[in-house]
Amino acid sequence: MSHSHHMVTNSVDHTSTMPPSHHHPATSASHLHGGGDGNMMMMMPMTFYFGFKNVELLFSGLVINTAGEMAGAFVGVFLLAMFYEGLKIARESLLRKSQVSIRYNSMPVPGPNGTILMETHKTVGQQMLSFPHLLQTVLHIIQVVISYFLMLIFMTYNGYLCIAVAAGAGTGYFLFSWKKAVVVDITEHCH
């Protein structure tokens, strides 16, 4: 019985700046990426590296091969991460401006020396079938997609691109969140 259809051909380009790959015949196929036609197979790095040769960025046709392309990708990823942070703050601001119904509820609570105090709670709501809610929904979808793009970029393990994600997110937070009083952000998605 022939097992030749299970064989995986691995070739390593030693001129690349990617780290050397360790191949194991039984497991290396699970780490291979290839185009739709099955002709091109690339080894996905599983450790951080600094290089700019054959770096796939989100799509198979978007491959970085020069230092200039890496510099351009760095700037683009940096700006995308900054935009992501700005989008989060913009959504919060829009939400505050679009709150349509404010209701005050008062309830008696026991006070000192047997007195009764009235405690007032402000309830803010929004209508589901409204333009502000539709806009928030579209912006949320954009925010989620960008957060997954940033996660996938970080998962290339390319040091330059990882630094661009972190530096862009940090700069965006610094520029857009300085008025924000909340320390813990519960709207985080993937980073």
Side-chain angles (χ1 to χ4, degrees), residues 103-177:
R103 193 173 64 221
Y104 294 95
N105 296 327
S106 297
M107 55 189 304
V109 293
N113 302 327
T115 60
I116 296 179
L117 301 174
M118 292 302 284
E119 189 175 274
T120 304
H121 298 278
K122 179 175 152 182
T123 305
V124 180
Q126 185 174 341
Q127 294 177 349
M128 186 171 88
L129 297 176
S130 65
F131 177 74
H133 184 64
L134 178 64
L135 179 62
Q136 281 288 341
T137 301
V138 170
L139 291 176
H140 176 74
I141 291 168
I142 293 169
Q143 180 181 340
V144 168
V145 169
I146 291 173
S147 70
Y148 281 121
F149 277 177
L150 292 171
M151 176 192 68
L152 290 171
I153 291 168
F154 204 93
M155 288 176 60
T156 64
Y157 292 101
N158 182 282
Y160 300 120
L161 296 177
C162 292
I163 290 169
V165 170
T171 303
Y173 183 85
F174 179 79
L175 293 176
F176 302 120
S177 296

Side-chain angles (χ1 to χ4, degrees), residues 82-98:
M82 272 185 53
F83 176 74
Y84 174 76
E85 292 296 326
L87 180 60
K88 289 192 313 186
I89 300 305
R91 283 191 58 221
E92 288 179 14
S93 176
L94 283 172
L95 184 61
R96 281 192 297 274
K97 290 178 184 176
S98 69

